[in-house]
Amino acid sequence: MQGNVSVVFALLMGLVGLGFVVWQVRNVMAEDMGNQTMRNIASAIQEGASAFLNHEYLYLAVFVVVVGGVITLFLNVPTAICFVVGALASGAAGYLGMRIAVQANVRTAAAAERSLNDGLHVAFSSGSVMGMAVVSFSILGLTILYLLFDGNVSYVTGFGFGASSIALFARVGGGIFTKAADVGADLVGKVEQGIPEDDPRNPAVIADNVGDNVGDVAGMGADLFESYSGSIIAAATLGAVMANGSELAFVGLPFLIAAVGVIASILGTFLIKTEEDATQEELLSTLRNATWASSGIVLFLAIIMVLLAPGVSYLYWVIILIGLIAGNAIAFFTEYYTAFTYNPTKSIAKAAETGPATLLIQGLSVGMMSTLAPVLIIAFSILLSLKLGYRADGSLTAGLYGVALAGVGMLSTLGITLATDAYGPVADNAGGIAEMSELPGYVRERTDSLDSLGNTTAATGKGFAIGSAVLTALALMAAYVGAAEIESLNLLDGTMLPGILIGAVLPYVFAALTMTAVSKAAYAIVLEVRRQFAEIPGIMDGTGKPDYATCVAISTDNALRQMILPGALAVIAPLAVGYILGAEALAGMLVGSIASGFLLAVMMANSGGAWDNAKKWIETGEMGGKNSPAHKAAVIGDTVGDPFKDTSGPALNILIKLMSIVSLVFASTFGAGLF
Amino acid sequence: MQGNVSVVFALLMGLVGLGFVVWQVRNVMAEDMGNQTMRNIASAIQEGASAFLNHEYLYLAVFVVVVGGVITLFLNVPTAICFVVGALASGAAGYLGMRIAVQANVRTAAAAERSLNDGLHVAFSSGSVMGMAVVSFSILGLTILYLLFDGNVSYVTGFGFGASSIALFARVGGGIFTKAADVGADLVGKVEQGIPEDDPRNPAVIADNVGDNVGDVAGMGADLFESYSGSIIAAATLGAVMANGSELAFVGLPFLIAAVGVIASILGTFLIKTEEDATQEELLSTLRNATWASSGIVLFLAIIMVLLAPGVSYLYWVIILIGLIAGNAIAFFTEYYTAFTYNPTKSIAKAAETGPATLLIQGLSVGMMSTLAPVLIIAFSILLSLKLGYRADGSLTAGLYGVALAGVGMLSTLGITLATDAYGPVADNAGGIAEMSELPGYVRERTDSLDSLGNTTAATGKGFAIGSAVLTALALMAAYVGAAEIESLNLLDGTMLPGILIGAVLPYVFAALTMTAVSKAAYAIVLEVRRQFAEIPGIMDGTGKPDYATCVAISTDNALRQMILPGALAVIAPLAVGYILGAEALAGMLVGSIASGFLLAVMMANSGGAWDNAKKWIETGEMGGKNSPAHKAAVIGDTVGDPFKDTSGPALNILIKLMSIVSLVFASTFGAGLF
């Protein structure tokens, strides 16, 4: 099959995916919205989320116009066009996913009043809108631009840059918003006033629920949109320089894999249903079986594609298999280190017995230890992909093409894995709405059970996000090295070592900036919530109504102001190193940032997840249960973990990909540097 | 000047240093030991410290015999001999430093009763014994072995391996001991029983004071013994392969710099004295001026040496200057991020207003942000050293020789910088003894003022330790690459990327293991202290005597058992990667571990230091002062920071050096690996 045929086939599958999205949106919107109280709460969340995203996109529009102008001036118009389209496509996917999530949350609550299965159905349908929107928008954007620019892959890298930029700001801005609101609501509401979570008397409660949507849904969607697009771009770029006469087949292969992934994900989605009295285990295995079935379908269709493609060795199929296995293996270990059914999280809860300090030490060391398995899995995936690619073709480019292809394989079933992830915040919100509108207790129980399932699948999702980010970033880095025509990459020669060290420090600086941002924004919320409790009469006995909108506005304002510095760092750092220290140092910087960012991201995500679940385990009655000293210690750990797992950690994934793609886009402009 | 002449000159200066050590030991021992209570307490600390070190050295003897046997079998007898001598020399320096520290603490307390100047004098003399013992033992060992084995530098690398092994176990074992005792004493004493620090009723109080000596004195000494020896070995190894006919001059240069450093340090020591009513500022500037004077003397003598050496460009003198500036610059930033006179630490204290969670988040982000300056300083030192070395000679080896020489320059004044550091724990102990033996309040005030000065100089010392560790490890890595005869070090080729990732994860695993070790050991102390409070009648009103020895024994036992796994990891990891993935992957692993370990070490050391000082700032009356909610939050931060700054962080320095030197020693035995 020639390159263009593959791309056109992928375009068609992108359209199929889009059709599925439209169909699912109609399904969700046709559901019942529940009573008037529920509708009112839902519309407050909708308004808050839209207000945040509209504001955020205004900032981003300025950024896109400026950077688009810079690209036009220093590179060329086609790259600038691809950049703008990438930004728009990523923004649109995030917007759609968020909009459907805030429609689905209240409908999930209403459906859960009828039955658990109905609740799962609505929430998951909404998640699958996000999942499939990401996949189809990415495929459609990439294929149309590829065909429009006559197969010039280097222009299409602009699409990845646009997508990355949106992802960074969405992750950072959304991440700051969600955790500032969460921490702010908890510190005053739970700790100072002693009212429970999701209590409508808390002025920050709507902001907290808005945060779930703008951070966990829109942010995660943009993150994976970027990985997905980036892995295809990296594979296509490396494929285009392979020199055995089958270049077009190699360029086409990632598109083909993505295309069969669409089919597999849609088929998998239809497998999701559950019995009314399903246990947590059964719910989980429903989702797992559907995901695994999708993987099986991808592998079956992929081997056909590989065998049909002229000059493409079957070894590339083995690489796709490695990518899929690696993704699932990392996801398993993420769950192992963060779920309270396993020892690591239990050990954290047990350390609460001697107070918050030992709980924190234990949580940090569990997070650090949890980096080992993902690193070994990724290291061996790279080793094997490189060797297999090299063996298939004999050229180094083919080896690195293998690494990129492993990333494409890992993400091929994104349509369904992202759905299982994006459904979580919807269930979480549904629980909040059930609580605030005082629905019967069994409804909250059902949404809690869906939410808790969501926590597990979110851990899995984070595993995929991190694993794919590393493979994608490395593949993009390899593509950059090719594009920059760097002759020697000798580790000891010249500027490489300084480059690696500078790259390694950037994730630390980025994490520090985003954590400080959360602190500052949270502090603003704390002051506002305290003010409202002090100044609004009758707020505690429910006769006075808190001013939710002001809390949302303050969160929005702070999150957006605080995202600028870390965002700018990510774009400027590779350019500064590239121009000052030269193209070779930049390659070192990318490798340093990928290694260091990978580890810090895993550690922060897993420490945060484990503290959260250690608290949940204590709340089941262990170690003295709720309100015991151990529980109080665990609440402190959970609060420290909030910016770890939902702001800084996930934003690091994007940092490493964005810096790689910025380098790739500007590769031709770097010289030997000033030294 | 030819190589051997330089080495003989260095040997003579080593003897001069040894003479100075003997003279200072006599000075300290001639001081008055105070009253009988003080003598009793001091002898309990002495016994505990000796018991720990004797036990530890028993374990180490087994390790040295086994590894010595392995070296004999797989390499050769001379390397094995050098290994054993290195281990003995490092062990002896640590032992001597610790022995003098536990003699000097009580004498410092007694002298402080007379005057502040007398107290400073005794404490600093004891510190200078440690500092000069490290320097002279290292120089004597290296020069004698070099002459004995007829200038075969590759045998002498065994000395570095021996020193590193002792350093690792001393740092890890001592670090676990000191923090387990500290945390254990605090958790039960301060938190549960509400008695103050250093209260003689606390059964763990002696163990806590022993810990200061075995961790902060012996551990720090062994750490810098290793850096010092390693930097000379790396420079000599790289110098031996330079090919412009002046190889011997290049081998001799690091020895010459070390030799003039001995003279400079001794002269600097005589500048230390203070007025009786000296302020904190004045005390600090006394120490600073002495250190800077030593640096000036080194630079003056070094330029003569460089100009006299045949074929050695003056550019190498510039490199030595760069090393010295870099060391002082890192030390300044360490102080900036951890002293409460500056904003970062104050911002942590202020975050205590909203509770422990925000204090912890702020402390972690300060620690992360504090990595930026040292990385940039080291990156630019490497860049400049490489370029200058390359410009001086035109060969890549010369560039890397420059990097090694910058490390030698940074450490040239170690005799005095280590003295300013090792004096701190002596002053700390003196304060404890003053408290326990109920000396008049003004004595404690004086020792507190000496101790607080010690905290600042300890921050400086940690800056030097980390900076020199990175330069030394990189230079050893470069020497390894030469010795292993690796042809291509292409970043993208084969096993390099997996190697870098695996290297980057090792510091995380190592930090996790050592933190868990502290938790486990501390928990054992907590149980024992609780038992004693419950079972010994009259312990709280002072009529019952606590059983100090059992606490010391439990700390010793646990620390030694817990140090085995992380210690083994450090030795086995490079061998496993070298044999399984090959010599090239091992080079990648070393680079990955150096970059990642450097950052994690700085972050952990500085977060820990800043939390400690944030607490101290609050104790001066800020944010509500002692026993306020902010103070309670700060105590939690301080406890989390304990294993950060005194166990895991400093042990990471050694990890990266040890793995590099293991690789260098076994370089000739690695092949292409199994992949």
mmCIF file of all heavy atoms in Angstrom, chain B residues 57 64 81-97 130 133-142 145 159-160 162-164 166-167 218 221-222 225-226 229:
data_model
loop_
_atom_site.group_PDB
_atom_site.id
_atom_site.type_symbol
_atom_site.label_atom_id
_atom_site.label_comp_id
_atom_site.label_asym_id
_atom_site.label_seq_id
_atom_site.Cartn_x
_atom_site.Cartn_y
_atom_site.Cartn_z
ATOM 1 N N TYR B 57 32.704 -0.846 61.080
ATOM 2 C CA TYR B 57 33.937 -1.252 60.424
ATOM 3 C C TYR B 57 34.072 -2.770 60.340
ATOM 4 O O TYR B 57 34.732 -3.294 59.443
ATOM 5 C CB TYR B 57 35.154 -0.607 61.117
ATOM 6 C CG TYR B 57 35.283 0.878 60.796
ATOM 7 C CD1 TYR B 57 36.261 1.665 61.386
ATOM 8 C CD2 TYR B 57 34.429 1.496 59.888
ATOM 9 C CE1 TYR B 57 36.387 3.026 61.083
ATOM 10 C CE2 TYR B 57 34.546 2.847 59.591
ATOM 11 C CZ TYR B 57 35.517 3.603 60.188
ATOM 12 O OH TYR B 57 35.640 4.930 59.878
ATOM 13 N N VAL B 64 35.247 -5.343 52.397
ATOM 14 C CA VAL B 64 36.541 -5.052 51.783
ATOM 15 C C VAL B 64 37.261 -6.347 51.411
ATOM 16 O O VAL B 64 37.839 -6.460 50.326
ATOM 17 C CB VAL B 64 37.406 -4.186 52.734
ATOM 18 C CG1 VAL B 64 38.849 -4.113 52.248
ATOM 19 C CG2 VAL B 64 36.828 -2.777 52.836
ATOM 20 N N ILE B 81 45.358 -4.251 46.150
ATOM 21 C CA ILE B 81 46.108 -3.611 47.246
ATOM 22 C C ILE B 81 45.688 -2.152 47.384
ATOM 23 O O ILE B 81 45.408 -1.661 48.485
ATOM 24 C CB ILE B 81 47.629 -3.718 46.980
ATOM 25 C CG1 ILE B 81 48.065 -5.182 47.072
ATOM 26 C CG2 ILE B 81 48.416 -2.841 47.968
ATOM 27 C CD1 ILE B 81 49.525 -5.426 46.702
ATOM 28 N N CYS B 82 45.625 -1.447 46.244
ATOM 29 C CA CYS B 82 45.213 -0.040 46.288
ATOM 30 C C CYS B 82 43.811 0.089 46.872
ATOM 31 O O CYS B 82 43.514 1.018 47.630
ATOM 32 C CB CYS B 82 45.247 0.562 44.893
ATOM 33 S SG CYS B 82 46.904 0.740 44.243
ATOM 34 N N PHE B 83 42.943 -0.845 46.494
ATOM 35 C CA PHE B 83 41.573 -0.822 47.016
ATOM 36 C C PHE B 83 41.582 -0.905 48.542
ATOM 37 O O PHE B 83 40.945 -0.112 49.234
ATOM 38 C CB PHE B 83 40.783 -1.991 46.408
ATOM 39 C CG PHE B 83 39.439 -2.217 47.029
ATOM 40 C CD1 PHE B 83 38.356 -1.407 46.700
ATOM 41 C CD2 PHE B 83 39.247 -3.239 47.963
ATOM 42 C CE1 PHE B 83 37.106 -1.610 47.285
ATOM 43 C CE2 PHE B 83 38.002 -3.446 48.548
ATOM 44 C CZ PHE B 83 36.941 -2.624 48.209
ATOM 45 N N VAL B 84 42.334 -1.863 49.060
ATOM 46 C CA VAL B 84 42.372 -2.049 50.518
ATOM 47 C C VAL B 84 42.974 -0.822 51.199
ATOM 48 O O VAL B 84 42.444 -0.337 52.215
ATOM 49 C CB VAL B 84 43.160 -3.327 50.878
ATOM 50 C CG1 VAL B 84 43.327 -3.442 52.388
ATOM 51 C CG2 VAL B 84 42.453 -4.562 50.330
ATOM 52 N N VAL B 85 44.059 -0.290 50.616
ATOM 53 C CA VAL B 85 44.680 0.893 51.217
ATOM 54 C C VAL B 85 43.704 2.073 51.207
ATOM 55 O O VAL B 85 43.586 2.817 52.193
ATOM 56 C CB VAL B 85 45.992 1.260 50.485
ATOM 57 C CG1 VAL B 85 46.558 2.566 51.018
ATOM 58 C CG2 VAL B 85 47.009 0.134 50.644
ATOM 59 N N GLY B 86 42.985 2.242 50.102
ATOM 60 C CA GLY B 86 42.001 3.329 50.018
ATOM 61 C C GLY B 86 40.941 3.199 51.094
ATOM 62 O O GLY B 86 40.569 4.181 51.747
ATOM 63 N N ALA B 87 40.453 1.969 51.270
ATOM 64 C CA ALA B 87 39.435 1.742 52.290
ATOM 65 C C ALA B 87 39.994 2.051 53.678
ATOM 66 O O ALA B 87 39.345 2.716 54.496
ATOM 67 C CB ALA B 87 38.941 0.296 52.213
ATOM 68 N N LEU B 88 41.234 1.591 53.925
ATOM 69 C CA LEU B 88 41.844 1.825 55.241
ATOM 70 C C LEU B 88 42.073 3.316 55.480
ATOM 71 O O LEU B 88 41.783 3.837 56.565
ATOM 72 C CB LEU B 88 43.183 1.088 55.349
ATOM 73 C CG LEU B 88 43.088 -0.439 55.484
ATOM 74 C CD1 LEU B 88 44.499 -1.052 55.449
ATOM 75 C CD2 LEU B 88 42.380 -0.828 56.777
ATOM 76 N N ALA B 89 42.576 4.018 54.464
ATOM 77 C CA ALA B 89 42.879 5.440 54.641
ATOM 78 C C ALA B 89 41.607 6.233 54.917
ATOM 79 O O ALA B 89 41.556 7.075 55.817
ATOM 80 C CB ALA B 89 43.578 5.978 53.391
ATOM 81 N N SER B 90 40.547 5.945 54.142
ATOM 82 C CA SER B 90 39.288 6.648 54.356
ATOM 83 C C SER B 90 38.727 6.322 55.731
ATOM 84 O O SER B 90 38.282 7.210 56.469
ATOM 85 C CB SER B 90 38.292 6.261 53.263
ATOM 86 O OG SER B 90 37.008 6.707 53.606
ATOM 87 N N GLY B 91 38.756 5.039 56.067
ATOM 88 C CA GLY B 91 38.255 4.633 57.374
ATOM 89 C C GLY B 91 39.025 5.295 58.501
ATOM 90 O O GLY B 91 38.446 5.773 59.484
ATOM 91 N N ALA B 92 40.355 5.363 58.339
ATOM 92 C CA ALA B 92 41.180 5.954 59.389
ATOM 93 C C ALA B 92 40.892 7.437 59.547
ATOM 94 O O ALA B 92 40.784 7.952 60.669
ATOM 95 C CB ALA B 92 42.659 5.740 59.058
ATOM 96 N N ALA B 93 40.741 8.152 58.415
ATOM 97 C CA ALA B 93 40.454 9.578 58.497
ATOM 98 C C ALA B 93 39.113 9.802 59.198
ATOM 99 O O ALA B 93 38.980 10.675 60.066
ATOM 100 C CB ALA B 93 40.432 10.199 57.098
ATOM 101 N N GLY B 94 38.118 9.016 58.824
ATOM 102 C CA GLY B 94 36.802 9.150 59.455
ATOM 103 C C GLY B 94 36.862 8.841 60.942
ATOM 104 O O GLY B 94 36.271 9.548 61.768
ATOM 105 N N TYR B 95 37.595 7.788 61.263
ATOM 106 C CA TYR B 95 37.697 7.360 62.660
ATOM 107 C C TYR B 95 38.365 8.444 63.500
ATOM 108 O O TYR B 95 37.878 8.813 64.577
ATOM 109 C CB TYR B 95 38.505 6.067 62.724
ATOM 110 C CG TYR B 95 38.304 5.306 64.010
ATOM 111 C CD1 TYR B 95 37.130 4.578 64.215
ATOM 112 C CD2 TYR B 95 39.274 5.307 65.004
ATOM 113 C CE1 TYR B 95 36.932 3.877 65.392
ATOM 114 C CE2 TYR B 95 39.076 4.605 66.184
ATOM 115 C CZ TYR B 95 37.912 3.892 66.373
ATOM 116 O OH TYR B 95 37.700 3.204 67.531
ATOM 117 N N LEU B 96 39.470 8.961 62.964
ATOM 118 C CA LEU B 96 40.198 9.998 63.690
ATOM 119 C C LEU B 96 39.324 11.241 63.885
ATOM 120 O O LEU B 96 39.241 11.795 64.990
ATOM 121 C CB LEU B 96 41.467 10.368 62.913
ATOM 122 C CG LEU B 96 42.332 11.454 63.531
ATOM 123 C CD1 LEU B 96 42.852 11.031 64.898
ATOM 124 C CD2 LEU B 96 43.511 11.789 62.607
ATOM 125 N N GLY B 97 38.657 11.646 62.814
ATOM 126 C CA GLY B 97 37.815 12.837 62.890
ATOM 127 C C GLY B 97 36.708 12.668 63.914
ATOM 128 O O GLY B 97 36.399 13.585 64.690
ATOM 129 N N MET B 130 39.867 16.988 61.414
ATOM 130 C CA MET B 130 39.143 16.214 60.398
ATOM 131 C C MET B 130 39.547 16.670 59.001
ATOM 132 O O MET B 130 39.887 15.858 58.139
ATOM 133 C CB MET B 130 37.636 16.433 60.610
ATOM 134 C CG MET B 130 36.748 15.823 59.547
ATOM 135 S SD MET B 130 36.262 14.148 59.971
ATOM 136 C CE MET B 130 37.172 13.202 58.788
ATOM 137 N N ALA B 133 43.169 15.825 58.222
ATOM 138 C CA ALA B 133 43.384 14.373 58.171
ATOM 139 C C ALA B 133 42.905 13.825 56.828
ATOM 140 O O ALA B 133 43.580 13.008 56.193
ATOM 141 C CB ALA B 133 42.654 13.675 59.320
ATOM 142 N N VAL B 134 41.738 14.275 56.390
ATOM 143 C CA VAL B 134 41.213 13.813 55.110
ATOM 144 C C VAL B 134 42.204 14.126 53.997
ATOM 145 O O VAL B 134 42.575 13.261 53.192
ATOM 146 C CB VAL B 134 39.837 14.472 54.824
ATOM 147 C CG1 VAL B 134 39.471 14.369 53.353
ATOM 148 C CG2 VAL B 134 38.769 13.841 55.693
ATOM 149 N N VAL B 135 42.660 15.386 53.982
ATOM 150 C CA VAL B 135 43.552 15.809 52.918
ATOM 151 C C VAL B 135 44.879 15.058 52.969
ATOM 152 O O VAL B 135 45.344 14.528 51.953
ATOM 153 C CB VAL B 135 43.773 17.342 53.021
ATOM 154 C CG1 VAL B 135 44.904 17.782 52.140
ATOM 155 C CG2 VAL B 135 42.491 18.069 52.681
ATOM 156 N N SER B 136 45.484 14.977 54.153
ATOM 157 C CA SER B 136 46.823 14.353 54.172
ATOM 158 C C SER B 136 46.759 12.849 53.956
ATOM 159 O O SER B 136 47.600 12.297 53.256
ATOM 160 C CB SER B 136 47.593 14.638 55.475
ATOM 161 O OG SER B 136 46.928 15.464 56.327
ATOM 162 N N PHE B 137 45.777 12.177 54.564
ATOM 163 C CA PHE B 137 45.687 10.730 54.334
ATOM 164 C C PHE B 137 45.490 10.437 52.853
ATOM 165 O O PHE B 137 46.047 9.484 52.311
ATOM 166 C CB PHE B 137 44.529 10.122 55.137
ATOM 167 C CG PHE B 137 44.790 10.029 56.621
ATOM 168 C CD1 PHE B 137 45.798 10.762 57.231
ATOM 169 C CD2 PHE B 137 44.021 9.187 57.425
ATOM 170 C CE1 PHE B 137 46.034 10.675 58.604
ATOM 171 C CE2 PHE B 137 44.255 9.084 58.790
ATOM 172 C CZ PHE B 137 45.254 9.835 59.380
ATOM 173 N N SER B 138 44.659 11.258 52.206
ATOM 174 C CA SER B 138 44.419 11.031 50.787
ATOM 175 C C SER B 138 45.681 11.261 49.972
ATOM 176 O O SER B 138 46.072 10.422 49.150
ATOM 177 C CB SER B 138 43.309 11.967 50.299
ATOM 178 O OG SER B 138 43.220 11.923 48.899
ATOM 179 N N ILE B 139 46.363 12.385 50.236
ATOM 180 C CA ILE B 139 47.589 12.667 49.478
ATOM 181 C C ILE B 139 48.654 11.608 49.739
ATOM 182 O O ILE B 139 49.293 11.100 48.808
ATOM 183 C CB ILE B 139 48.146 14.066 49.850
ATOM 184 C CG1 ILE B 139 47.178 15.149 49.360
ATOM 185 C CG2 ILE B 139 49.530 14.277 49.259
ATOM 186 C CD1 ILE B 139 47.670 16.550 49.614
ATOM 187 N N LEU B 140 48.814 11.247 51.012
ATOM 188 C CA LEU B 140 49.847 10.254 51.331
ATOM 189 C C LEU B 140 49.542 8.921 50.655
ATOM 190 O O LEU B 140 50.420 8.300 50.045
ATOM 191 C CB LEU B 140 49.959 10.075 52.852
ATOM 192 C CG LEU B 140 50.596 11.266 53.590
ATOM 193 C CD1 LEU B 140 50.509 11.071 55.100
ATOM 194 C CD2 LEU B 140 52.059 11.429 53.157
ATOM 195 N N GLY B 141 48.292 8.486 50.764
ATOM 196 C CA GLY B 141 47.921 7.211 50.150
ATOM 197 C C GLY B 141 48.162 7.214 48.659
ATOM 198 O O GLY B 141 48.809 6.319 48.098
ATOM 199 N N LEU B 142 47.679 8.264 47.999
ATOM 200 C CA LEU B 142 47.799 8.328 46.544
ATOM 201 C C LEU B 142 49.251 8.413 46.093
ATOM 202 O O LEU B 142 49.667 7.708 45.159
ATOM 203 C CB LEU B 142 47.028 9.550 46.013
ATOM 204 C CG LEU B 142 45.503 9.437 46.009
ATOM 205 C CD1 LEU B 142 44.865 10.785 45.707
ATOM 206 C CD2 LEU B 142 45.056 8.414 44.966
ATOM 207 N N LEU B 145 51.250 5.082 46.794
ATOM 208 C CA LEU B 145 50.871 4.013 45.866
ATOM 209 C C LEU B 145 51.353 4.320 44.456
ATOM 210 O O LEU B 145 51.791 3.422 43.720
ATOM 211 C CB LEU B 145 49.351 3.818 45.868
ATOM 212 C CG LEU B 145 48.785 3.232 47.159
ATOM 213 C CD1 LEU B 145 47.264 3.307 47.150
ATOM 214 C CD2 LEU B 145 49.241 1.782 47.348
ATOM 215 N N PHE B 159 42.418 2.710 44.743
ATOM 216 C CA PHE B 159 42.377 3.522 45.964
ATOM 217 C C PHE B 159 41.067 4.293 46.044
ATOM 218 O O PHE B 159 40.410 4.334 47.095
ATOM 219 C CB PHE B 159 43.564 4.495 45.949
ATOM 220 C CG PHE B 159 43.704 5.338 47.198
ATOM 221 C CD1 PHE B 159 44.407 4.875 48.295
ATOM 222 C CD2 PHE B 159 43.142 6.603 47.255
ATOM 223 C CE1 PHE B 159 44.547 5.663 49.445
ATOM 224 C CE2 PHE B 159 43.269 7.396 48.393
ATOM 225 C CZ PHE B 159 43.967 6.911 49.488
ATOM 226 N N GLY B 160 40.664 4.873 44.895
ATOM 227 C CA GLY B 160 39.412 5.624 44.860
ATOM 228 C C GLY B 160 38.218 4.720 45.128
ATOM 229 O O GLY B 160 37.272 5.096 45.836
ATOM 230 N N GLY B 162 38.212 1.943 46.886
ATOM 231 C CA GLY B 162 38.197 1.627 48.321
ATOM 232 C C GLY B 162 37.627 2.779 49.132
ATOM 233 O O GLY B 162 36.770 2.601 50.004
ATOM 234 N N ALA B 163 38.088 3.995 48.811
ATOM 235 C CA ALA B 163 37.609 5.165 49.541
ATOM 236 C C ALA B 163 36.113 5.353 49.336
ATOM 237 O O ALA B 163 35.363 5.654 50.277
ATOM 238 C CB ALA B 163 38.366 6.402 49.067
ATOM 239 N N SER B 164 35.650 5.152 48.099
ATOM 240 C CA SER B 164 34.235 5.323 47.805
ATOM 241 C C SER B 164 33.370 4.342 48.567
ATOM 242 O O SER B 164 32.285 4.688 49.035
ATOM 243 C CB SER B 164 33.970 5.103 46.317
ATOM 244 O OG SER B 164 34.460 6.154 45.569
ATOM 245 N N ILE B 166 33.933 2.848 51.430
ATOM 246 C CA ILE B 166 33.812 3.251 52.829
ATOM 247 C C ILE B 166 32.894 4.458 52.951
ATOM 248 O O ILE B 166 32.034 4.537 53.832
ATOM 249 C CB ILE B 166 35.205 3.607 53.391
ATOM 250 C CG1 ILE B 166 36.117 2.397 53.356
ATOM 251 C CG2 ILE B 166 35.077 4.149 54.814
ATOM 252 C CD1 ILE B 166 35.661 1.253 54.203
ATOM 253 N N ALA B 167 33.075 5.404 52.020
ATOM 254 C CA ALA B 167 32.270 6.617 52.075
ATOM 255 C C ALA B 167 30.794 6.280 51.984
ATOM 256 O O ALA B 167 29.969 6.798 52.745
ATOM 257 C CB ALA B 167 32.666 7.546 50.929
ATOM 258 N N ALA B 218 31.929 11.796 60.696
ATOM 259 C CA ALA B 218 32.585 10.695 59.977
ATOM 260 C C ALA B 218 32.028 10.555 58.560
ATOM 261 O O ALA B 218 32.779 10.337 57.607
ATOM 262 C CB ALA B 218 32.424 9.391 60.755
ATOM 263 N N GLY B 221 33.188 13.477 56.317
ATOM 264 C CA GLY B 221 34.614 13.335 56.062
ATOM 265 C C GLY B 221 34.885 12.293 54.995
ATOM 266 O O GLY B 221 35.649 12.524 54.052
ATOM 267 N N ALA B 222 34.238 11.142 55.108
ATOM 268 C CA ALA B 222 34.444 10.071 54.136
ATOM 269 C C ALA B 222 33.962 10.495 52.759
ATOM 270 O O ALA B 222 34.582 10.175 51.735
ATOM 271 C CB ALA B 222 33.709 8.811 54.583
ATOM 272 N N PHE B 225 36.583 12.869 51.438
ATOM 273 C CA PHE B 225 37.793 12.092 51.177
ATOM 274 C C PHE B 225 37.703 11.478 49.786
ATOM 275 O O PHE B 225 38.657 11.474 49.007
ATOM 276 C CB PHE B 225 37.941 10.984 52.222
ATOM 277 C CG PHE B 225 39.223 10.207 52.116
ATOM 278 C CD1 PHE B 225 40.314 10.569 52.889
ATOM 279 C CD2 PHE B 225 39.343 9.127 51.268
ATOM 280 C CE1 PHE B 225 41.513 9.867 52.802
ATOM 281 C CE2 PHE B 225 40.527 8.411 51.172
ATOM 282 C CZ PHE B 225 41.624 8.792 51.943
ATOM 283 N N GLU B 226 36.514 10.981 49.500
ATOM 284 C CA GLU B 226 36.301 10.325 48.224
ATOM 285 C C GLU B 226 36.352 11.313 47.064
ATOM 286 O O GLU B 226 36.987 11.061 46.041
ATOM 287 C CB GLU B 226 34.932 9.652 48.263
ATOM 288 C CG GLU B 226 34.632 8.878 47.033
ATOM 289 C CD GLU B 226 33.145 8.704 46.866
ATOM 290 O OE1 GLU B 226 32.362 9.352 47.600
ATOM 291 O OE2 GLU B 226 32.765 7.925 45.995
ATOM 292 N N SER B 229 40.064 12.449 46.633
ATOM 293 C CA SER B 229 40.882 11.417 45.989
ATOM 294 C C SER B 229 40.430 11.198 44.552
ATOM 295 O O SER B 229 41.250 11.077 43.634
ATOM 296 C CB SER B 229 40.766 10.089 46.745
ATOM 297 O OG SER B 229 40.979 10.282 48.123
#
